[in-house]
Amino acid sequence: MTKTDIARRVYNHTWKLDPIVRSLLDTDFYKLLMLQMIWQLYPDVDATFSLINRTKTVRLADEIDEHELREQLDHARELRFSKKEMIWLAGNSFYGRKQIFSPEFLAWLAKFRLPDYELSRRDGQFELTFRGRWAETTMWEIPALAIINELRSRSAMKGLGPFTLDVLYARAKAKMWSKVERLRQYPNLRISDFGTRRRHSFLWQRWCVEALKEGIGASFSGSSNVLLAMDTDLEALGTNAHELPMVAAALARNDAELAAAPYKVLQDWNQLYGGNLLIVLPDSFGTAAFLRNAPAWVADWTGFRPDSAPPIEGGEKIIAWWKKMGRDPREKLLIFSDGLDVETIIETYRHFEGRVRMSFGWGTNLTNDFADCAPTEIKGLNPISIVCKVSDADGRPAVKLSDNPRKATGDAAEVQRYLKFFGSEDFVEQAVKV
């Protein structure tokens, strides 16, 4: 396989537009899985997605040129799924199951295009909003974040010469490889790439994926990025995300429907995917509240992804719940994915080894770790905590509480209503770095 000279490529931005997103498959797999459910069960629901920069000290509108941002967003709107991509989606096996996407859904997807966007500036930040049918706006989340993050990286490196860039990437590669060497000391580890949303760039994510594929071999289970999975012959990985219970809760007409929302979406998911992809994401409104009220059938699902609690603490609570429900944790799966790096992965793996099956979704600290790599002082290369979340459904505010109060999103009054309804038991406030 021919390797791309990333430093030379970054320096040679001589063409009119160097697209950041070149394919609609350059997204996370869970987006396509959720999209099929949204398209089938919620075709008439409107949903608004909004960009949220949690790192307030970084003024994105001062670092990124608005004209360049509009060019990249406009280019993404011109994209369609290619014939090759549609054939791959229709014919490939995912999680051991063929034809996971229905022919009717694929026919609709073949004509899909991203809807319009609204962009403005306020107090040094971009206000980027996507309004319309949920089945359309949901697909903006990943490309919007990828575009913002890569434009920020490009801006930070704009004045660097080819040799400075060469040193920067050489140091980043060495840093990444030192992580690989530590991880391969644990051959039973299972690690996947979850780094699309806040990556340094597409090319760098691809390099990291190929490095993991060579460096840890069978321990590398795949990538959440569908395009990279297709191009590098890896498994495309992912199940569902917070937006499903967030929208279901926003649409609830009364307290009974609000309480049932986190479980209703799981029932719909199970019905659609027929016993596959049974991973629970429990923290949309707090893991403690989810476990306290969970129907018994939830214990029969394959596993949980504790996304915002400290990994060891969150994992212990889920294991205790499985035992309470009469299930053997050794037959279950925990997927850890929140702000992981090598130290956290190894510490968590060693803590739970032999007690539960584990997998680690490695995100921003895999695909955007350039700390101390620049030969000269450069601002703008450190990753920030930036998300694109659903903010309303059919005009009703959507809320995410999380196990970490600093990750809560939504209208302040509505957040307080949810806190009163679901409680804040076991919430742990932690700094949000990525």
Side-chain angles (χ1 to χ4, degrees):
M1 181 181 294
T2 303
K3 299 295 182 184
T4 300
D5 185 340
I6 299 178
R8 179 59 60 178
R9 171 72 181 277
V10 169
Y11 183 70
N12 287 337
H13 285 303
T14 56
W15 42 82
K16 182 178 180 181
L17 177 70
D18 183 13
I20 291 171
V21 176
R22 300 181 177 218
S23 164
L24 290 176
L25 272 193
D26 186 10
T27 191
D28 282 336
F29 190 46
Y30 74 82
K31 274 292 168 183
L32 296 181
L33 293 169
M34 291 195 303
L35 180 62
Q36 180 168 230
M37 175 172 160
I38 295 164
W39 171 82
Q40 181 170 314
L41 300 181
Y42 299 89
D44 299 323
V45 171
D46 288 337
T48 302
F49 282 74
S50 304
L51 187 75
I52 303 170
N53 178 16
R54 295 182 180 130
T55 310
K56 301 298 184 184
T57 55
V58 172
R59 295 168 61 89
L60 285 173
D62 294 342
E63 293 189 8
I64 296 172
D65 180 82
E66 183 179 337
H67 176 69
E68 291 182 5
L69 175 55
R70 289 185 182 275
E71 282 189 321
Q72 294 290 346
L73 295 170
D74 290 342
H75 174 77
R77 292 198 67 226
E78 296 173 1
L79 296 173
R80 304 290 186 277
F81 287 98
S82 71
K83 184 176 181 180
K84 171 189 172 183
E85 291 167 346
M86 296 305 301
I87 291 172
W88 184 80
L89 287 173
N92 196 50
S93 294
F94 300 100
Y95 289 91
R97 175 179 166 181
K98 289 187 176 181
Q99 296 179 331
I100 202 167
F101 299 112
S102 73
E104 295 80 11
F105 171 69
L106 290 174
W108 175 83
L109 195 66
K111 301 175 182 177
F112 179 84
R113 64 172 296 186
L114 290 167
D116 207 350
Y117 61 89
E118 299 170 16
L119 177 65
S120 60
R121 301 159 65 108
R122 181 178 180 182
D123 298 331
Q125 302 293 344
F126 286 119
E127 293 192 343
L128 181 57
T129 307
F130 310 98
R131 305 180 196 275
R133 285 286 188 256
W134 186 15
E136 297 177 352
T137 57
T138 184
M139 287 293 283
W140 259 122
E141 177 188 356
I142 308 302
L145 291 171
I147 286 168
I148 290 283
N149 280 285
E150 185 160 350
L151 281 178
R152 185 167 178 262
S153 298
R154 290 184 182 185
S155 176
M157 299 184 296
K158 191 168 288 185
L160 303 184
F163 289 97
T164 305
L165 285 166
D166 208 27
V167 172
L168 170 69
Y169 281 103
R171 289 177 176 175
K173 288 178 179 179
K175 186 177 186 180
M176 166 60 188
W177 195 253
S178 70
K179 297 180 182 183
V180 168
E181 290 176 327
R182 291 183 62 191
L183 291 171
R184 64 185 177 193
Q185 297 176 32
Y186 301 89
N188 293 324
L189 265 176
R190 291 295 175 265
I191 294 175
S192 54
D193 157 44
F194 276 22
T196 300
R197 294 185 305 157
R198 290 186 285 269
R199 67 193 183 197
H200 169 81
S201 70
F202 173 76
L203 289 177
W204 182 247
Q205 183 183 14
R206 185 181 182 113
W207 189 91
C208 292
V209 164
E210 291 177 341
L212 282 175
K213 187 176 181 180
E214 178 179 322
I216 63 175
S219 292
F220 186 43
S221 52
S223 174
S224 66
N225 186 289
V226 191
L227 180 62
L228 289 176
M230 182 182 74
D231 287 348
T232 58
D233 195 27
L234 288 166
E235 289 289 331
L237 301 174
T239 52
N240 53 72
H242 297 107
E243 71 180 88
L244 294 182
M246 288 174 68
V247 170
L251 297 176
R253 295 166 294 184
N254 51 54
D255 284 354
E257 290 187 359
L258 178 58
Y263 315 109
K264 179 182 184 301
V265 294
L266 295 182
Q267 289 176 308
D268 292 341
W269 185 267
N270 190 21
Q271 183 176 356
L272 179 61
Y273 290 112
N276 292 82
L277 310 167
L278 299 184
I279 302 297
V280 179
L281 182 62
D283 69 324
S284 297
F285 313 120
T287 299
F290 181 91
L291 295 177
R292 182 173 61 249
N293 300 310
W297 53 261
V298 175
D300 294 324
W301 277 42
T302 304
F304 276 66
R305 179 163 71 93
D307 184 59
S308 57
I312 290 176
E313 183 179 319
E316 287 289 0
K317 288 174 182 174
I318 293 168
I319 285 176
W321 183 78
W322 275 326
K323 290 180 176 179
K324 177 183 175 183
M325 301 299 290
R327 307 304 192 273
D328 184 352
R330 292 172 298 179
E331 298 176 357
K332 297 296 184 178
L333 174 66
L334 287 176
I335 300 176
F336 299 99
S337 61
D338 182 36
L340 301 179
D341 207 354
V342 171
E343 289 78 13
T344 319
I345 292 172
I346 292 174
E347 179 187 12
T348 305
Y349 174 76
R350 293 178 67 177
H351 180 86
F352 288 112
E353 186 177 12
R355 299 173 56 204
V356 67
R357 294 159 54 212
M358 286 175 280
S359 180
F360 295 86
W362 196 6
T364 309
N365 290 318
L366 167 66
T367 60
N368 201 352
D369 185 4
F370 281 72
D372 303 319
C373 292
T376 183
E377 185 177 351
I378 302 174
K379 293 183 179 179
L381 279 183
N382 289 335
I384 60 176
S385 180
I386 185 170
V387 294
C388 185
K389 290 292 185 184
V390 58
S391 52
D392 71 63
D394 281 349
R396 306 180 66 176
V399 167
K400 176 194 170 194
L401 294 182
S402 172
D403 288 322
N404 180 358
R406 294 194 184 186
K407 282 190 166 186
T409 64
D411 173 78
E414 199 71 357
V415 168
Q416 289 304 311
R417 182 173 79 89
Y418 275 59
L419 283 169
K420 184 177 180 180
F421 186 84
F422 289 102
S424 56
E425 181 184 347
D426 294 340
F427 281 15
V428 179
E429 188 163 322
Q430 307 173 83
V432 181
K433 297 181 180 178
V434 294

